[in-house]
Structure formats: structure tokens, C-alpha cells
Amino acid sequence: MRLLEALERVRGRIVDVHSHVGSDQRFLLDGSPGRIVQVMDRYGIGVSLVSSTHSLLADFREGNRLALEAVREHPGRLLGLVAVNPHYGEEALEELRRYVGAGFVGVKLHPNYFKISVLDELTLRVLEEAERVGVPAMIHSYDGGVEVSRLAELFPDLTIVMYHMGGARWREGVERVRRFDNVYAEVSSSVADAGMVEAAVEALGYERVLFGTDMPYLDPAVSLGKVLGADISWEAKEAILCYNAEEVIGPRLREL
């Protein structure tokens, strides 16, 4: 099956679990909510889970407010991820509760931008709260899955999404989390080695592999090519692109 034909078969049903709204002047990127939805339409992406670039680059609270505006502006297309900077202690926990209460479907942690390990005591408090309120933790991972695998041991009942599959050390990443049923691997990355999706499916089963784009930093064509061009079954491709996200964010996605 040709790639464009395959894309048409899933058009409108694709779920992107890793995207952003907001600009990034370092790269002259336009990540306005309207632009993100326009790109989603071009590639047939039905729903995207978004956090704000402003949360990562400046003020996480203002970024969450902007993400909420985007979600309300595009209901049914954009779902919010609350970005939490663990350095802010109780204020960070209150931010998590506030936005989950407003319908956000997960918490986004970026240890590189926030300059704090996900194994730091402050971050562990955030993850405890995420587990308590019942939302998954989306964690930027470019360390070969080292920290995510340790978190999975500490929080066996918390759903963890390993963004970028561990980065350039993606082979290590999927192998490290193989034994943890609560960890999912998300495919977006500027690393586009042949065989990435195949390796993730072999290690984890296709049910634990998620589609993400990392818009606006990457064009969706990168991740779509990884999945649709992979040497795996159509059943696996369709699950990765369309269905597996339901296991992560559950009822909220089924309501759309």
C-alpha cells in the first residue's frame, strides 16, 4: 500500500499525543493554534494533545493559560496538557489540579527546560499528584529512557508516556521500558533512523507505541513517515495512529 493511500485510510482519525501551541523565536516558528489546526487538517490529524511553548521557554503559568485559550478556541481538535515546573512546589501542584479540573488530559514535564531531574523530590511530588488525580505523565526523554524506567519502578500505577522514545538512544529507551506495562513510547523525534517503529513494536507490542508529531518543531510528515513506512502490519499502524491514545487518556478522547 502506498503511503498516501494509507494516509487517506486514517484521515481524520489520527491522534497526535505530542504537540505544542505558541511561537518560538529561536527557530522563527509559527505555532499559533489556528496554524496548528491548519496543519492537522492538511495531514488528516483529528486530535492533538498540546502544551504551550511559553510554558517551557518563559512562564509555565502563563503558558497554561494560553493553552487553555487554544483548547477553548478549537474544541474537539485540541486537548490540553498542563505544563508544570516542579521548582514551584505547592504552586505547581495547584496548577496541575486547576487545569485537570478544567479538562486537561495529562501533565507535561520537560526536565531539560525546567532544569530539574524527573527523579528530584520536587518532581516526584508532581507525579504523585498526577497519579492521585488520574492523569498520565508525558515526559521528555532524550537519555535512553534511564529516568523514565526508574520512574516506572516508583510509580507502577501511573501511566507514563516516554516522549521521543529516549532520543538518539532510542534502542536503549524501548529496551529499558520493555518490562513496564505502564510506559508507552511516543515516536516523534528529529532522529529518524530506519527501523525505529519496528524496534518499538518488537520490544513493547504495538499497543504501547503512540503517534506524536512535536509540532511546530517538526512537520507531521516525519512521524507519519516513520509509522506508515514501517514494516509492521496495517493493524499495528492503525492502532498506533488512531486507537492507542484511548488507553492513555481514556474517556475524554472517546467523548469527542
Side-chain angles (χ1 to χ4, degrees), residues 20-67:
H20 306 269
V21 289
S23 63
D24 189 333
Q25 292 304 309
R26 296 175 302 171
F27 308 110
L28 301 179
L29 293 175
D30 177 9
S32 62
R35 175 61 176 164
I36 292 298
V37 172
Q38 183 182 44
V39 176
M40 289 167 61
D41 289 340
R42 179 188 303 165
Y43 287 101
I45 298 169
V47 178
S48 287
L49 278 56
V50 297
S51 59
S52 170
T53 57
H54 196 90
S55 290
L56 303 180
L57 300 172
D59 184 338
F60 75 103
R61 295 153 300 193
E62 177 64 8
N64 290 327
R65 187 189 67 78
L66 293 170

Side-chain angles (χ1 to χ4, degrees), residues 53-215:
T53 57
H54 196 90
S55 290
L56 303 180
L57 300 172
D59 184 338
F60 75 103
R61 295 153 300 193
E62 177 64 8
N64 290 327
R65 187 189 67 78
L66 293 170
L68 180 60
E69 286 185 359
V71 168
R72 288 176 172 171
E73 183 180 349
H74 299 280
R77 302 301 306 280
L78 303 180
L79 296 179
L81 299 173
V82 54
V84 176
N85 187 333
H87 285 295
Y88 285 76
E90 185 60 35
E91 186 176 347
L93 300 180
E94 291 175 0
E95 188 84 350
L96 192 163
R97 299 182 195 111
R98 179 182 306 117
Y99 281 91
V100 169
F104 279 36
V105 298
V107 57
K108 169 71 178 292
L109 292 170
H110 202 308
N112 299 76
Y113 280 110
F114 294 149
K115 305 299 181 185
I116 186 170
S117 167
V118 295
L119 298 172
D120 187 276
E121 182 179 348
L122 289 172
T123 309
L124 296 181
R125 290 181 61 198
V126 171
L127 293 170
E128 288 171 357
E129 188 64 17
E131 183 178 51
R132 189 189 70 80
V133 300
V135 294
M138 279 64 172
I139 299 176
H140 176 93
S141 174
Y142 250 72
D143 66 350
V146 173
E147 291 194 333
V148 166
S149 63
R150 292 175 182 168
L151 284 179
E153 292 180 336
L154 294 172
F155 296 94
D157 296 323
L158 174 67
T159 297
I160 300 171
V161 178
M162 181 173 67
Y163 273 176
H164 307 305
M165 282 174 49
R169 296 160 59 187
W170 55 267
R171 289 189 185 276
E172 296 176 39
V174 295
E175 287 300 326
R176 279 198 173 94
V177 302
R178 177 195 287 262
R179 64 188 178 95
F180 301 108
D181 292 340
N182 59 321
V183 178
Y184 293 74
E186 180 269 320
V187 303
S188 75
S189 176
S190 54
V191 179
D193 298 334
M196 292 180 71
V197 172
E198 291 91 333
V201 169
E202 181 179 356
L204 308 177
Y206 68 76
E207 299 88 350
R208 288 170 55 199
V209 182
L210 298 171
F211 175 75
T213 66
D214 205 10
M215 287 191 286

